[in-house]
Amino acid sequence: VPFEKQGIVFKVIDNEMIPAVLDFMWEHFMPDEPISRSLGTSRNWVVDELYFGEALKDGSSIAALDKDGQIIGARIGIKKLRSKWTSWIFDRLPFNLPTWMITPLLPKEMNNLPTMVKLFTLLGYDVWKMFNQLGCDLIYEDKAVCSARTSGVRGLGTELCRRTEN
């Protein structure tokens, strides 16, 4: 059954929707996200404003709403442009500053940031290096994709990804 026939509407996330989307992600995504769960990350302004917030304000994220207008799924991502060197500086800052400088600036819920930085470094995760490897000037960095289990809509996460790729 097509999503629209099920009463599902897909909408680009606007500023008015951001608080509800953040609440949705903390309820349906963050408790099961392996890294955050393993490190005991709880809701804090760093994740809300810097990790998700920057991407939500980009206009590149989408939400699925049910017939009652409730969020039942979301894909959060951001367009990274090779030419935006200020974004590069901001993204790479935690990887280039000593832990003793970063930790006092963070809320207690983010004391695990040095562990995350170490993990991402070991995994070689760096969007900015991919520009040269892929020979491109624009990359869509996916932050999260989530559908509420309670919605009972099969394939919703896949559809959210498909619709943000167009």
Side-chain angles (χ1 to χ4, degrees), residues 150-164:
T150 55
S151 74
V153 179
R154 292 182 55 98
L156 184 59
T158 302
E159 186 66 10
L160 285 162
C161 291
R162 191 185 69 74
R163 289 183 184 236
T164 50

Side-chain angles (χ1 to χ4, degrees), residues 13-75:
I13 297 169
D14 59 26
N15 287 341
E16 186 178 297
M17 295 174 66
I18 291 175
V21 171
L22 288 171
D23 290 344
F24 175 84
M25 296 305 288
W26 280 99
E27 180 180 347
H28 298 281
F29 177 77
M30 294 302 284
D32 295 318
E33 194 282 320
I35 296 171
S36 296
R37 185 181 66 218
S38 297
L39 295 176
T41 303
S42 58
R43 191 166 186 173
N44 63 81
W45 68 268
V46 173
V47 175
D48 280 3
E49 294 298 322
L50 302 180
Y51 184 74
F52 285 137
E54 179 190 20
L56 289 168
K57 294 171 187 160
D58 180 61
S60 300
S61 301
I62 190 172
L65 310 173
D66 67 12
K67 62 184 177 346
D68 298 320
Q70 297 300 307
I71 299 169
I72 59 169
R75 184 180 190 193

Side-chain angles (χ1 to χ4, degrees), residues 113-130:
L113 183 66
T115 305
M116 280 189 203
V117 167
K118 190 178 218 178
L119 176 62
F120 285 10
T121 300
L122 288 170
L123 294 172
Y125 180 81
D126 184 352
V127 173
W128 298 96
K129 286 184 179 179
M130 296 308 296

Side-chain angles (χ1 to χ4, degrees), residues 80-88 128 131 136-138:
K80 296 285 185 172
L81 293 167
R82 182 193 298 255
S83 62
K84 298 287 184 177
W85 59 270
T86 52
S87 293
W88 174 82
W128 298 96
F131 286 112
C136 63
D137 294 317
L138 172 68

